[in-house]
């Protein structure tokens, strides 16, 4: 065999070796690792799309919605597309690039930005005036020339609808030919016409910005968003390529506005094709019902709470895992059907599907709107519902080619609260009117509950402060509104033989009762009559009663009605923030001061509840949620005669006592007690003015408590008008009056 | 020898092999492009390319190949000139200047350079005394370096790399001392290592990510959340990764003709040309892929058989050069599709879509047929085996 033939054979062997190596690798990839690659293939084309669920609405006791989901739209900016294909984006970026590479000069201005729309117009002027020789790599540098040509082509093609590549080619050819003419001359375009077309686009953006901000008060100014995106990109470009760990920031979507009504978005939809980079997508927003009047539902705003996207929270994991398992169980059935029709699913592929579904659910929950405060947080589980899933086959360019399976959403459940929207509206208006005569920003609160403990209405002022500060004063006393409870304890102690001092033996009320204790009036012999003493709020009676009951007895009087520690406290129930009653150290030292309401702190809710107890003899548990678990009422074990004495005293209070000046109360058949608790220095005459009671004596339906914090004046004079305004409005609505009187 | 006698002596087995491969190519170009409206009808265009190429091949077949030898240097000069002028005339597409626009057609001179190189090297090495002297290695290296450098500057690294195996194989077949060849390979590898510094950014990225992927292991999914790997898989590693998914997903028997999800759902880029083998793997599985490789191997072996039977040196070297060109390009294409090599655009001869590549391959086969049909010694001097 000749040398040449031998060498040809060697070549054949060499090729054979190469082929053998390739075949071995192919076998490894296609047979040994086939399963893994097949999974990747499925992962490429299988996708799970989560279907957002409707969050349940929060309703009042009659099913009128207080807060609910409303479909809306969001506007987002994709700056990558905006700077490349929008004439304004291309003009600004192109002009800045031209400034950077000295293709143009602009005395006194380092760069052009979006925040001043005049800059965009200036950018257009500058860019179309750039000589095409600047588009040559030798003049501006290779990358700059390429980018400059791109932006110029984008600008001109988006304005004239000519082909981008055609313009680019013409510019390149003109640059190669050494032309120094401006681009618009090279392309035979009229600069004035270009400016006019550009002005139209710019004006559309200005109009869009205006409308979006009118539709969403929290919306960012479009120009600020654009400039911020540009700045981030510049910062990213400044990082050396080797150190760039993040994807280009302009690839991410920036939110411009969310929660826009569809009317607002119609404008953008009509011009969207002309504004690449600005995207609209469907969204949902949580809206509050609006009430007539200045305040609307503002009092309830913090109580109803907020719904916001939150990151994964540990306390939700267990529940979400259950949700996922349920969904995957459903899906298993569908997958079996799918495997018969389409593909034979191996166990590993099933695992893959489970994994993808898991990620989809997790992703949804991370993005999902979760109640983060108030009722929305407390009732989040039933309100949130569960997301649906769509199992789709996709291609690289088509998000969904084929629906392989789907799982319905589990809509959130509607939750009914105990509030009555109409009563709430009346209360809000009453509070506005009643406080009109007081100082600005006067703090006040009023609550209305029924005899079952359902909170029917709850309002507070001022609106710009958290009601927690109003409902839960860190310091403050209830004053004389606590006297009915002490009287009841006194009467009960007499009846049952517990330590007491019979009131027949009490001294006359003469104004002063030892150091630092006294009464505003000299009630004389009335200090021995429990009805009159309560109606006229005679401190002498209660000092002496306290001496008989001792500190324990007085505290027990309040505790029985949930106003002092040791008694029947409100159970923790969803949606209700109730703090356990607190007492001060001082109250322990002097039961007489305790008996006239000093050292006892309460809020309008617990006070209204206690008065509901006076009305029925049973202490109800307060409740905000109509459905589901509700605390029951507790029999107080009081003798009807004792209760009758207290009710007589409250009636006396309205007819002839401390609230007699508020004639409206008498006319409405209200039983009430006033309270004036001095806060701060005794000489300051700054009081917490209380009025609490219920109506009517024969058929109790509503209990209420009102307080005006830190005001000069007495309880009846300050809190009375609020109550009267509310009750008169109630009476003027025959339908409501029929229900609640 | 008259044209009819040449046709009568044509190696019809070779024609059959090339025909089957071309038909295979047409089928898979159709499969790869049918679902995408942007590329629909490419199989028909490829059929036209094939028909025109066969016409040109027939003309070449009827022309005594000794005339081709005499025209070797003008052909080489023409090809080099085309490569030199390309940066000034050709349009830039995807950042590279590789094509001449001639009306609706695009001509890729790098493809013609491969055949031109084979012809000129065969002409230079046909004289035994030259082949065994220093000029038998140095001059061919210089001859190869000129188009290789010009092609690399386009940039088209893949095509420029194909030229060097052709040089080595032809020198080896011509009888260049093995020691000298090994020295040349050693020096060539050193130069290639130094050449890394002159690679473009995107080429360096491709090499970098290729080297990285060997360390990923089978549990790449566990790294999927890793931002860096995800960015690579969506960036410089996208093409080879999708190709591997297509190849590996095919398994033993594949998804079936026209049913490969990677190609049908548009995940696999350049599937009509640079990654057509991945389409074959995905749709016909390992069995189909081996079938195609077997056909390609048969073609190459058949060419080497013809070379071995040809006594005249120019013809023999010509056939060796063509066989090496086809074998190298096929192996590189498969290696790129399976990510044994960094991503680069190399079509598979007779299978991938492309006018220039098809034309050159058909002309090369026609040259081989020409040689096989005229095996009697036609040249004077020491140009005999």
């Amino acid at each position: 065999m000749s040398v040449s033939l031998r060498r040809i054979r060697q070549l054949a062997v060499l090729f054979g070796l190469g082929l053998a190596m390739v075949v071995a690798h192919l076998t490894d990839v296609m047979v040994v690792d086939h399963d893994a690659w097949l999974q990747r293939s499925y992962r490429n084309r299988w996708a799970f799309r989560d279907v957002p669920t409707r969050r349940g609405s929060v309703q009042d006791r009659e099913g009128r919605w207080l807060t609910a989901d409303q479909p809306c739209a969001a506007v987002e900016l994709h700056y990558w597309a905006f700077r490349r294909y929008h004439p304004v984006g291309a003009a600004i970026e192109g002009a800045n690039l031209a400034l950077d590479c000295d293709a143009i000069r602009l005395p006194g201005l380092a760069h052009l930005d979006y925040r001043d729309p005049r800059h965009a117009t200036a950018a257009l002027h500058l860019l179309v005036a750039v000589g095409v020789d600047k588009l040559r790599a030798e003049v501006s540098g290779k990358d700059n020339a390429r980018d400059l040509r791109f932006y110029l082509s984008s600008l001109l093609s988006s304005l004239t609808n000519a082909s981008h590549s055609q313009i680019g080619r013409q510019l390149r050819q003109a640059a190669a030919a050494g032309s120094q003419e401006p681009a618009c001359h090279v392309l035979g375009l009229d600069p004035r016409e270009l400016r006019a077309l550009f002005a139209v686009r710019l004006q559309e953006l200005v109009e869009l910005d205006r409308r979006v901000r009118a539709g969403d008060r929290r919306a960012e100014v479009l120009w600020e968003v654009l400039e911020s995106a540009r700045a981030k990109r510049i910062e990213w470009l400044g990082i050396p390529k080797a150190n760039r760990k993040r994807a280009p920031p302009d690839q991410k979507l920036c939110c411009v506005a969310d929660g826009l009504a569809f009317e607002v978005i119609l404008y953008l939809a009509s011009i969207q094709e002309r504004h690449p980079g600005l995207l609209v997508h469907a969204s949902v927003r949580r809206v509050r019902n609006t009430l007539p009047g200045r305040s609307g539902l503002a009092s309830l705003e913090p109580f109803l709470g907020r719904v916001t996207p939150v990151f994964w929270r540990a306390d939700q994991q267990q529940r979400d895992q259950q949700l996922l398992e349920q969904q995957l169980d459903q899906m298993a059935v569908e997958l079996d059907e799918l495997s018969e029709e389409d593909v034979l699913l191996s166990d590993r592929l099933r695992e893959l599907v489970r994994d993808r579904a898991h990620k989809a659910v997790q992703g949804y929950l991370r993005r999902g709107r979760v109640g983060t405060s108030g009722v929305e947080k407390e009732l989040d589980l039933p309100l949130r519902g569960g997301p649906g899933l769509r199992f789709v086959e996709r291609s690289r360019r088509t998000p969904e080619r084929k629906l392989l399976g789907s799982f319905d959403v589990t809509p959130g459940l509607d939750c009914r609260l105990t509030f009555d929207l109409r009563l709430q509206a009346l209360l809000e208006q009453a509070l506005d009117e009643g406080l009109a005569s007081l100082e600005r920003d006067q703090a006040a609160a009023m609550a209305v509950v029924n005899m079952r403990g359902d909170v029917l209405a709850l309002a507070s002022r001022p609106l710009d402060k958290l009601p927690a500060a109003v409902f839960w004063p860190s310091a403050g006393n209830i004053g004389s509104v606590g006297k009915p409870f002490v009287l009841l304890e006194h009467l009960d102690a007499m009846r049952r033989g517990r330590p007491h001092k019979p009131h027949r033996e009490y001294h006359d009320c003469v104004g002063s009762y030892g150091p630092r204790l006294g009464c505003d009036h000299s009630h004389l012999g009335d200090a021995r009559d429990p009805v009159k003493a309560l109606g006229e709020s005679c401190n002498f009676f209660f000092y002496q009663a306290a001496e008989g009951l001792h500190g324990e007895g007085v505290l027990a009087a309040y505790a029985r009605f949930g106003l002092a520690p040791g008694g029947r406290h409100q159970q923790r129930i969803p949606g209700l923030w109730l703090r356990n009653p607190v007492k001060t150290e001082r109250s322990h030292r002097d039961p007489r001061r305790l008996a006239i309401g000093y050292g006892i702190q309460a809020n309008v809710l617990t006070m209204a509840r206690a008065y509901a107890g006076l009305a029925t003899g049973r202490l109800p548990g307060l409740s905000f949620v109509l459905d589901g678990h509700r605390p029951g009422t507790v029999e107080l074990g009081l003798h009807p005669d004792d209760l009758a004495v207290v009710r007589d005293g409250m009636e006396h209070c309205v007819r002839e006592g401390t609230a007699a000046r508020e004639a409206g109360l008498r006319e409405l058949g209200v039983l009430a007690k006033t309270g004036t608790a001095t806060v701060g220095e005794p000489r300051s005459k700054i009081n917490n003015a209380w009025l609490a009671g219920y109506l009517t004596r024969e058929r109790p339906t509503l209990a209420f408590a009102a307080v005006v914090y830190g005001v000069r004046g007495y309880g009846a004079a300050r809190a009375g008008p609020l109550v009267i305004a509310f009750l008169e409005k109630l009476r003027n609505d025959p339908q409501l009056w029929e229900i609640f009187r | 020898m008259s044209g009819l006698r040449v046709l009568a002596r044509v190696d019809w087995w070779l024609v059959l092999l090339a025909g089957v491969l071309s038909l295979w190519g047409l089928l898979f170009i159709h499969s790869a492009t049918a679902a995408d409206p942007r590329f629909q009808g490419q199989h028909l265009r490829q059929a036209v390319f094939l028909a025109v190429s066969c016409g040109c091949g027939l003309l070449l077949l009827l022309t005594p190949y000794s005339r081709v030898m005499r025209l070797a240097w003008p052909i080489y000069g023409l090809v080099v000139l085309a490569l030199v002028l390309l940066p000034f005339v050709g349009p830039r597409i995807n950042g590279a200047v590789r094509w001449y626009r001639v009306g609706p057609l695009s001509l890729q001179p790098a493809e013609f350079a491969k055949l031109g190189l084979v012809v000129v090297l065969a002409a230079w090495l046909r004289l035994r005394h030259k082949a065994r002297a220093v000029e038998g290695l140095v001059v061919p290296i210089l001859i190869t370096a000129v188009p290789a450098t010009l092609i690399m500057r386009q940039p088209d690294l893949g095509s420029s790399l194909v030229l060097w195996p052709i040089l080595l194989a032809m020198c080896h077949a011509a009888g260049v001392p093995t020691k000298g060849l090994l020295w040349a390979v050693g020096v060539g590898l050193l130069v290639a290592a130094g050449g890394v510094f002159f690679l473009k950014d995107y080429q360096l990225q491709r090499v970098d990510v290729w080297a990285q992927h060997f360390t990923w292991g089978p549990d790449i999914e566990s790294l999927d959340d890793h931002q860096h790997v995800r960015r690579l898989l969506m960036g410089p590693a996208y093409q080879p990764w999708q190709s591997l998914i297509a190849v590996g997903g095919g398994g033993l028997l594949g998804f079936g003709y026209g049913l490969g999800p990677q190609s049908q759902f548009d995940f696999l880029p350049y599937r009509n040309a640079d990654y057509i083998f991945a389409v074959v793997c995905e749709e016909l599985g390992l069995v189909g892929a081996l079938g195609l490789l077997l056909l390609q191997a048969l073609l190459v072996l058949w060419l080497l058989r013809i070379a071995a039977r040809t006594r005249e040196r120019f013809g023999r070297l010509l056939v060796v050069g063509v066989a090496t060109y086809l074998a190298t390009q096929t192996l590189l294409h498969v290696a790129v599709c399976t990510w044994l090599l960094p991503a680069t655009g190399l079509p598979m001869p007779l299978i991938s879509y492309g006018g220039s590549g098809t034309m050159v391959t058909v002309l090369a086969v026609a040259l081989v047929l020409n040689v096989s049909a005229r095996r009697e010694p036609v040249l004077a001097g020491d140009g005999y085996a």
Side-chain angles (χ1 to χ4, degrees):
Chain A
M1 187 189 294
S2 69
V3 172
S4 185
L5 276 178
R6 199 172 66 239
R7 289 191 168 196
I8 287 173
R9 285 196 175 179
Q10 287 170 356
L11 284 177
V13 170
L14 204 63
F15 294 150
L17 282 175
L19 187 65
M21 200 166 77
V22 163
V23 168
H25 182 58
L26 270 180
T27 310
D28 182 46
V29 173
M30 299 181 76
V31 179
V32 180
D33 293 337
H34 167 64
D35 223 20
W37 292 110
L38 188 64
Q39 280 195 47
R40 286 169 185 140
S41 172
Y42 279 114
R43 188 176 288 126
N44 258 357
R45 65 182 194 276
W46 282 358
F48 281 90
R49 313 278 184 221
D50 53 64
V51 183
T53 176
R54 185 189 71 89
R55 191 176 172 84
S57 62
V58 179
Q59 302 172 347
D60 80 342
R61 61 191 298 111
E62 300 294 334
R64 289 175 289 255
W65 66 278
L66 299 169
T67 176
D69 271 3
Q70 188 182 70
C72 63
V75 179
E76 287 181 328
L77 169 72
H78 187 216
Y79 188 64
W80 182 88
F82 187 85
R83 70 178 170 82
R84 289 170 68 92
Y85 303 116
H86 196 285
V88 175
I92 288 280
E93 286 283 349
N96 280 322
L97 182 64
L99 280 170
D100 289 345
C101 63
D102 288 334
I104 51 175
R105 289 178 196 284
L106 201 57
L109 207 55
H111 72 274
L112 298 159
D113 75 28
Y114 288 103
R115 284 173 294 203
D116 187 347
R118 288 173 303 177
H119 279 208
T121 311
L124 170 81
H125 287 214
L126 291 167
L127 205 54
V128 295
V130 167
V132 287
D133 58 317
K134 308 290 188 203
L135 307 181
R136 292 173 58 192
E138 301 80 24
V139 178
S140 303
K142 190 178 164 192
D143 290 347
N144 286 340
R146 180 197 62 208
D147 291 348
L148 205 50
R149 196 167 57 233
F150 182 88
Y151 287 128
L152 198 46
S153 306
S154 276
L155 172 65
L156 298 175
S157 72
S158 60
L159 290 176
T160 61
N161 290 331
S163 153
H164 189 287
S165 57
Q166 199 178 350
I167 290 176
R169 196 177 309 134
Q170 287 178 357
L171 290 175
R172 196 166 48 239
Q173 285 167 355
S179 169
Q180 294 185 346
E181 284 190 74
C184 55
H185 289 176
V186 168
L187 299 169
L189 299 171
D190 181 0
R192 278 176 302 178
E193 196 180 331
L194 286 178
R195 281 173 208 145
L197 290 167
F198 188 82
V200 171
R201 297 289 186 93
L202 190 60
Q203 189 52 42
E204 284 175 352
L205 278 186
V206 171
E207 178 63 14
L208 175 70
D209 179 51
R210 190 188 66 76
R211 291 188 184 214
V212 162
R213 280 193 288 140
D216 177 9
R217 280 180 302 163
R218 292 172 304 172
E220 296 271 352
V221 180
L222 176 62
W223 310 108
E224 293 286 351
V225 178
L226 284 168
E227 186 55 27
S228 162
R230 194 181 80 84
K232 281 181 189 165
R233 180 168 176 268
I234 290 171
E235 187 187 341
W236 185 82
L237 288 173
I239 302 171
K241 278 187 182 175
N243 298 343
R244 287 179 191 166
K245 295 199 166 54
R246 289 179 292 122
D250 59 357
Q251 297 273 14
K252 290 183 183 170
L253 295 173
C254 317
C255 181
V256 177
D258 198 358
L260 293 168
F262 280 111
E263 309 84 84
V264 177
I265 226 63
L266 274 179
Y267 178 73
L268 178 57
S270 67
I271 59 167
Q272 194 178 4
E273 273 189 14
R274 291 148 58 80
H275 295 274
L278 288 171
L279 312 170
V280 179
H281 66 80
S283 179
V284 67
R285 64 176 170 175
R286 199 77 173 154
V287 289
R288 296 264 191 268
N289 200 348
T290 50
L291 288 175
R294 184 171 64 89
S295 52
L297 266 182
S299 287
L300 292 187
E301 190 84 17
F303 169 74
L304 292 172
R306 295 176 62 191
V307 171
T308 52
V310 292
F311 289 105
W312 189 257
R313 290 184 353 188
D315 59 340
Q316 291 165 353
Q317 279 188 3
Q318 190 179 357
R319 186 250 173 181
D320 295 334
Q321 187 62 34
Q322 286 171 358
L323 176 73
L324 174 68
E325 291 301 327
Q326 283 170 11
Q327 298 225 332
L328 293 182
D329 286 345
Q330 287 177 30
M331 195 166 58
V333 179
E334 300 234 4
L335 286 178
D336 286 337
E337 290 168 6
L338 179 68
S339 63
E340 288 167 13
E341 291 172 7
D342 195 345
V343 288
L344 283 171
L345 286 173
S346 68
D347 288 342
R348 288 187 65 178
L349 282 176
R350 283 175 196 279
E351 279 304 308
L352 167 71
V353 172
R354 286 180 72 87
D355 181 49
R356 296 302 296 263
H358 196 153
K359 283 184 177 165
V361 175
Q362 281 185 338
Y364 171 76
L365 292 171
R366 284 194 180 111
R367 291 195 308 278
R369 296 165 317 121
V370 177
T372 50
S373 64
V375 168
E376 297 280 12
K377 179 183 175 186
E378 294 288 345
L379 304 179
D380 188 50
L381 295 188
L383 283 171
R384 198 203 296 172
L389 283 178
R390 279 190 302 133
F391 178 30
V392 297
E393 193 172 59
R394 70 185 181 100
S395 77
R396 189 177 164 210
R397 293 178 197 279
T398 319
E400 290 185 20
R401 280 173 60 104
K402 186 178 169 188
L403 182 67
L404 298 174
S406 66
F407 314 106
D408 293 336
V409 295
T410 313
L413 298 175
D414 296 334
C415 290
R416 282 197 303 165
L417 302 184
T418 57
F419 288 98
D420 186 293
L421 193 60
R422 292 171 300 176
L423 277 188
Q424 180 68 28
L426 296 185
L427 185 55
E428 299 276 4
Q429 291 168 20
L431 223 54
D432 283 340
E433 290 171 17
L435 291 173
S437 60
L438 298 176
E439 290 172 28
R440 199 168 163 233
D441 290 339
Q442 188 66 58
M446 183 170 168
V448 181
V449 304
N450 67 9
M451 296 305 131
R452 291 181 63 194
D454 294 351
V455 180
L456 299 173
L458 175 65
S460 66
R461 295 292 182 274
L463 293 171
D464 57 346
K465 289 182 184 165
L466 280 176
V470 176
F471 294 148
W472 313 110
S474 57
N477 303 297
I478 60 173
S480 298
V481 281
K483 284 176 179 170
F485 314 116
V486 177
L487 175 58
L488 262 177
E489 180 63 23
H490 167 73
L491 296 174
D492 197 50
M494 279 179 66
R495 186 176 299 280
R496 298 182 194 276
R498 291 199 300 273
H500 70 280
K501 185 175 174 183
H503 50 263
R504 289 187 193 86
E505 299 170 9
Y506 288 1
H507 302 292
D508 284 356
C509 173
V510 291
S512 175
Y513 195 84
R516 299 174 64 86
L517 293 174
C519 191
D520 287 343
H521 303 284
S522 297
H523 297 98
L524 301 176
D526 288 351
R528 286 188 291 278
D529 180 348
V531 172
K532 287 185 177 176
L534 182 65
E536 292 166 20
S537 204
C538 175
N539 287 352
F540 260 63
F541 178 93
F542 290 95
Y543 294 148
Q544 295 174 80
E547 285 168 355
L549 292 170
H550 307 296
E552 293 76 17
V554 178
L555 279 174
Y558 291 117
R560 187 200 304 273
F561 288 87
L563 297 173
R568 297 175 181 91
H569 302 145
Q570 172 72 45
Q571 289 177 336
R572 176 85 175 84
I573 56 165
L576 188 61
W577 345 287
L578 277 185
R579 206 168 61 175
N580 287 342
V582 292
K583 62 180 186 296
T584 58
E585 290 297 320
R586 196 171 154 192
S587 66
H588 281 298
R589 288 200 297 269
D590 192 346
R592 295 171 300 181
R593 288 185 61 76
L594 201 60
I596 60 167
Y598 285 88
I600 298 293
Q601 295 180 21
N603 58 69
V604 286
L605 278 172
T606 45
M607 189 58 76
R609 172 197 182 214
Y611 271 77
L614 289 178
T616 60
R618 290 185 298 276
L619 185 67
L622 284 174
S623 174
F624 282 115
V625 185
L626 202 60
D627 308 316
H629 170 73
R630 304 181 63 181
T633 54
V634 178
E635 189 64 50
L636 291 170
L638 296 168
H639 196 277
D641 292 346
D642 298 343
L643 281 168
V645 171
V646 171
R647 289 167 192 158
D648 288 344
M650 289 164 65
E651 195 168 352
H652 182 76
C653 173
V654 173
R655 293 186 181 280
E656 298 171 42
T658 51
R661 285 185 187 174
E662 305 300 324
L665 294 174
R666 193 164 56 246
E667 290 164 13
L668 290 162
V670 169
L671 274 68
K673 178 71 188 81
T674 59
T676 306
T678 304
V679 290
E681 287 299 315
R683 289 179 187 173
S684 67
K685 302 283 183 188
I686 301 295
N687 305 315
N688 285 349
W690 284 86
L691 182 71
Y694 66 93
L695 75 165
T696 57
R697 181 165 185 166
E698 294 74 26
R699 183 174 157 252
T701 50
L702 292 180
F704 59 84
V707 61
V708 182
Y709 291 103
V711 68
R712 287 174 193 277
Y714 293 97
R718 294 309 186 200
L722 305 184
V723 175
I724 291 169
F726 167 70
L727 292 176
E728 282 185 344
K729 285 179 187 300
L730 182 63
R731 189 171 57 176
N732 291 339
D733 186 327
Q735 197 182 359
L736 282 178
W737 186 245
E738 185 59 32
I739 298 169
F740 292 112
R741 75 188 168 90
Chain B
M1 194 183 286
S2 74
L4 280 177
R5 284 188 64 190
V6 169
L7 285 178
R9 296 187 59 181
V10 154
D11 187 336
W12 290 107
W13 285 110
L14 181 58
V15 174
L16 184 67
L17 267 175
V20 170
L21 282 169
S22 303
L23 198 62
W24 191 305
L26 283 178
L27 283 174
F28 276 87
I29 290 168
H30 176 251
S31 168
T33 57
D36 196 331
R38 294 171 302 165
F39 305 123
Q40 266 175 0
Q42 279 198 344
H43 61 293
L44 297 176
R45 283 170 66 98
Q46 178 72 0
V48 173
F49 292 150
L50 271 172
V52 172
S53 303
C54 286
C56 296
L58 189 63
L59 287 178
L60 190 61
L61 177 62
L62 297 177
T63 310
Y65 70 86
S66 56
R67 287 192 194 165
V68 175
M69 190 197 75
R70 285 186 210 111
L71 289 172
W73 285 103
I75 289 170
Y76 177 75
L78 206 63
V79 166
V80 169
L81 185 68
L83 289 171
V84 169
L85 292 179
L86 189 59
F88 307 105
V89 184
R92 183 172 290 276
I93 298 172
N94 291 339
V97 187
R98 295 179 188 169
W99 295 270
Y100 280 108
R101 278 259 164 79
V102 184
L105 299 175
S106 294
L107 287 178
Q108 192 175 0
E111 290 294 332
F112 292 93
K114 293 167 190 168
L115 189 57
L117 181 72
V118 169
V119 172
V120 79
L121 286 181
W124 180 261
L125 293 167
R126 78 185 176 88
L127 299 172
R128 199 190 309 262
H129 69 273
K130 279 189 182 175
R132 292 183 179 167
V134 176
E135 58 190 322
L137 188 57
V138 174
V139 174
I141 286 176
L142 292 176
I143 288 172
T144 310
V146 173
T149 312
L150 290 169
I151 292 170
M152 234 174 111
R153 285 194 59 193
Q154 291 180 356
D156 185 358
L157 188 61
S159 290
S160 72
L161 286 179
V162 172
L163 302 183
W164 299 103
I166 294 174
L167 163 76
L168 291 173
M170 290 182 73
C171 287
H172 188 61
V176 173
T178 310
K179 202 174 169 184
L181 276 178
L182 290 175
W183 270 106
V185 170
V187 172
L189 288 176
L190 282 176
V191 171
V196 167
F197 297 105
F198 298 98
L199 289 180
K200 308 248 175 211
D201 281 349
Y202 80 92
Q203 291 171 327
L204 274 175
Q205 268 188 337
R206 286 178 179 183
V207 174
D208 181 41
V209 76
W210 168 76
Q212 278 188 46
H213 100 276
F214 289 109
T215 65
W216 288 348
D219 292 330
I220 180 68
E221 276 68 33
S222 61
L223 298 173
D224 267 359
D225 289 332
H226 195 277
Q227 200 68 18
H228 174 65
V229 175
R230 290 183 73 166
R231 269 186 56 210
L232 289 179
L233 294 182
M234 293 308 293
Y238 180 79
Q239 293 179 17
W241 185 252
Q242 294 301 326
S243 172
L244 261 182
I245 291 175
V247 172
L252 200 61
L253 297 173
F255 286 90
Y257 177 74
L259 299 175
Q262 284 291 104
S263 60
Q264 302 304 317
F265 293 0
D266 201 21
F267 293 109
L268 186 62
Y270 303 111
R271 54 190 175 276
N272 57 349
D274 300 345
Y275 288 100
I276 199 160
F277 182 71
V279 179
V280 175
C281 289
E282 186 178 37
E283 297 189 349
L284 299 187
L286 183 65
V287 173
L290 290 182
L292 177 59
L293 288 179
L294 184 70
L295 282 176
Q296 292 280 17
L298 273 177
L299 178 67
V300 171
L301 287 177
W302 201 261
L303 294 181
L304 291 178
R305 180 173 171 273
I306 291 171
R309 288 185 172 191
T310 305
R311 290 177 58 215
E312 187 274 312
R313 277 178 65 87
F314 175 73
R316 170 179 281 185
L317 290 174
L318 202 63
V319 179
V320 167
V322 170
T324 311
Y325 155 54
L326 295 181
T328 309
Q329 191 132 331
T330 301
L331 287 175
L332 286 179
H333 177 89
V334 175
V336 166
C337 285
T338 53
W339 218 3
L340 271 175
L341 286 177
T344 184
L346 270 179
M348 187 179 236
L350 295 173
I351 304 292
S352 292
Y353 173 78
S356 302
T358 305
M359 171 73 83
V360 167
T361 314
V362 170
L363 289 180
V365 171
L367 263 180
V368 174
L369 288 172
N370 197 335
V371 172
S372 74
R374 305 169 201 268
R375 269 190 217 122
E376 73 274 20
V378 292
L379 300 170
D382 60 352
Y384 296 93

